[in-house]
Amino acid sequence: MSTIFSQIVEGEIPARVVYEDETTLAFLDANPLAPGHTLVVPKDEYERLNDIPEDVADDLYDTIHRLVPAVEDAVDADASTVAFNNGEAAGQEVPHVHCHIVPRFEGDGGGPIHAVAGETPDLEDDELDEIAEDIESRA
Ligand code: AMP
């Protein structure tokens, strides 16, 4: 069963495509948070960022890098929020990696990325050190 974004890639369902190359596709979000809200996807189906091979990750970033200024300029935005909901617990609904480019405007009433957190932890220095070491050893 392919994802709704694979169906868009295959042309089986319509979308307002704004960019396409061999490995990536960008199209307008059907329920935009702002004018110009754009999604960038790898054409192949991977559920999370964690699943993407390096060459596809490079291509995906290239397309995001190309689209951010294009989207901002097209709607005369002051800024943009560029983000992935990476996994169901983070709010990902479509299990096909996608980057949201959400144009932002002075006084639009939205929040920063920091607004995604629930209760924030109160971590001691040694806990922070341990976490940093653990991440470093896996990176
Ligand atoms: P997420 O919660 O990160 O998985 O976001 C999924 C996004 O896909 C939402 O912003 C939806 O509005 C958007 N979406 C769902 N179906 C379509 C579609 N057929 N065409 C364009 N965007 C879609």
Side-chain angles (χ1 to χ4, degrees), residues 16-127:
R16 291 187 172 83
V17 172
V18 298
Y19 177 78
E20 177 169 17
D21 61 26
E22 212 176 305
T23 56
T24 68
L25 188 76
F27 50 90
L28 294 188
D29 194 293
N31 305 288
L33 297 176
H37 181 173
T38 297
L39 302 176
V40 183
V41 304
K43 285 185 169 176
D44 287 344
E45 206 170 292
Y46 303 99
E47 185 165 339
R48 294 179 53 167
L49 275 176
N50 319 34
D51 306 321
I52 300 182
E54 201 171 322
D55 57 332
V56 179
D58 289 346
D59 293 349
L60 188 63
Y61 186 76
D62 283 348
T63 300
I64 293 165
H65 183 249
R66 173 190 285 255
L67 265 291
V68 166
V71 168
E72 286 188 12
D73 290 351
V75 297
D76 206 16
D78 298 308
S80 52
T81 296
V82 182
F84 294 80
N85 291 321
N86 192 40
E88 211 175 326
Q92 183 178 359
E93 289 182 357
V94 179
H96 183 144
V97 173
H98 50 284
C99 175
H100 292 263
I101 303 174
V102 183
R104 299 296 305 272
F105 303 87
E106 294 293 344
D108 65 12
I113 285 281
H114 298 72
V116 302
E119 208 171 300
T120 52
D122 194 11
L123 295 164
E124 302 293 336
D125 278 348
D126 59 340
E127 293 173 293

